[in-house]
């Protein structure tokens, strides 16, 4: 199912920087990544100048049943 999480511009940046691959970066590299994220947000009509940004999520749910003779 699809879902949208609405967050602030700063919240989105912090969310992106909180992934494990980002948390291990030196502070100087994190600052570079932060600036790049802001450049991307500022370069797209869908996000330029917005304080509230809807982030789409898509979740796939799988249901399994154990077979009686398995």
């Amino acid at each position: 199912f699809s879902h949208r999480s609405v967050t602030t511009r700063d919240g989105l940046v912090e969310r992106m920087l909180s992934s494990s691959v980002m948390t291990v970066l030196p502070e100087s590299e994190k600052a570079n990544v932060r600036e790049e994220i802001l450049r991307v947000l500022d370069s797209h009509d869908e996000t330029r100048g917005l304080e509230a940004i809807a982030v789409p999520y898509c979740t796939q749910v799988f249901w399994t049943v154990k077979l009686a003779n398995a």
Side-chain angles (χ1 to χ4, degrees):
F1 59 91
S2 295
H3 173 71
R4 290 185 182 271
S5 175
V6 179
T7 186
T8 64
R9 176 183 167 96
D10 289 339
L12 178 59
V13 172
E14 292 307 314
R15 168 66 184 96
M16 294 175 84
L17 291 174
S18 71
S19 70
S20 59
V21 71
M22 295 295 177
T23 60
V24 297
L25 293 176
E27 288 303 316
S28 60
E29 287 185 49
K30 282 185 199 176
N32 291 338
V33 171
R34 177 184 300 276
E35 290 304 313
E36 182 63 22
I37 293 168
L38 292 172
R39 272 194 293 279
V40 169
L41 292 173
D42 289 340
S43 69
H44 292 278
D45 292 338
E46 295 85 5
T47 54
R48 185 183 304 116
L50 296 180
E51 279 304 313
I53 299 172
V55 180
Y57 287 92
C58 181
T59 301
Q60 295 180 343
V61 178
F62 299 91
W63 187 277
T64 62
V65 176
K66 183 177 180 181
L67 299 175
N69 295 326

